[in-house]
Amino acid sequence: MVIAVYPGSFDPATYGHLDVIRRASASFDKVIVGVLNNSAKSPLFSAEERVNILKKETADIPNVFIKSFCGMTVNFARDNHAKVIVRGLRAVTDFEYELQMAQTNRVLAPDIDTVFMTTSLEYAYLSSTIMKEVALFGGDLTNFAPPATIAAVRKKLNQ
Ligand code: ADP
């Protein structure tokens, strides 16, 4: 049984994240999405809200589980008996940071491997940050995230 963790901020999860989750769920027995609870990043949504959004959007995938975590990804992976950390790669701009993180995690936990999933082309431009920027200016979010997530973003920005 190969368990993978997919850590990130997911503030909120976009179609790009959901695509990685769906594809990872086909390659691993169990995928545990780890929502990083890091107040230093001052997210739009609380960790609990980000977990709930992801739970709703992945409810149809039986081997995907959503949890929040604090601290280091390798500890989250170990606590969940995961041997694999999944990350998404969109463009060369992601590469340097992701490589450094993967190598650091390898030093910290040589028994855990990082596996990169390249983004599907239609989501290569997409990030939570871009989505929030478009939302701030009232732009159309249809191509960025499912309807329930879009509604949550609009509601949050109106508060
Ligand atoms: P973090 O703050 O850890 O980068 P994010 O929520 O921004 O958290 O991203 C989590 C992971 O998902 C990262 O590996 C990121 O590269 C990946 N990711 C984000 N957007 C996309 C996308 N559109 N396609 C593929 N992977 C993505």
Side-chain angles (χ1 to χ4, degrees):
M1 171 116 163
V2 182
I3 301 172
V5 292
Y6 176 32
S9 307
F10 306 105
D11 185 39
T14 67
Y15 278 134
H17 295 122
L18 297 173
D19 175 61
V20 169
I21 292 170
R22 200 165 289 281
R23 285 158 57 203
S25 75
S27 293
F28 302 106
D29 296 302
K30 196 165 158 185
V31 176
I32 302 167
V33 181
V35 174
L36 185 62
N37 190 351
N38 177 1
S39 51
K41 275 201 168 183
S42 49
L44 180 63
F45 291 98
S46 70
E48 196 188 344
E49 288 168 329
R50 285 176 276 148
V51 165
N52 287 336
I53 289 171
L54 271 160
K55 277 188 178 166
K56 225 180 267 172
E57 306 297 8
T58 60
D60 63 317
I61 322 175
N63 62 336
V64 170
F65 302 86
I66 319 292
K67 294 181 178 179
S68 70
F69 76 103
C70 302
M72 290 202 295
T73 298
V74 287
N75 292 340
F76 177 66
R78 283 220 174 100
D79 290 347
N80 287 284
H81 312 287
K83 286 270 170 272
V84 174
I85 296 169
V86 172
R87 293 284 289 176
L89 275 184
R90 280 160 294 189
V92 117
T93 40
D94 284 339
F95 182 77
E96 222 170 305
Y97 174 73
E98 292 294 342
L99 184 67
Q100 188 179 24
M101 282 284 289
Q103 288 172 339
T104 305
N105 285 336
R106 187 135 187 89
V107 170
L108 294 170
D111 51 323
I112 298 173
D113 258 314
T114 299
V115 169
F116 294 106
M117 307 215 92
T118 54
T119 180
S120 294
L121 279 180
E122 66 263 47
Y123 307 127
Y125 66 94
L126 187 51
S127 69
S128 303
T129 306
I130 283 286
M131 176 171 159
K132 285 180 280 188
E133 257 170 35
V134 174
L136 262 181
F137 295 106
D140 180 8
L141 303 178
T142 313
N143 292 319
F144 303 164
T149 302
I150 294 175
V153 172
R154 299 251 184 254
K155 189 171 166 202
K156 184 63 103 177
L157 290 177
N158 282 333
Q159 275 168 13

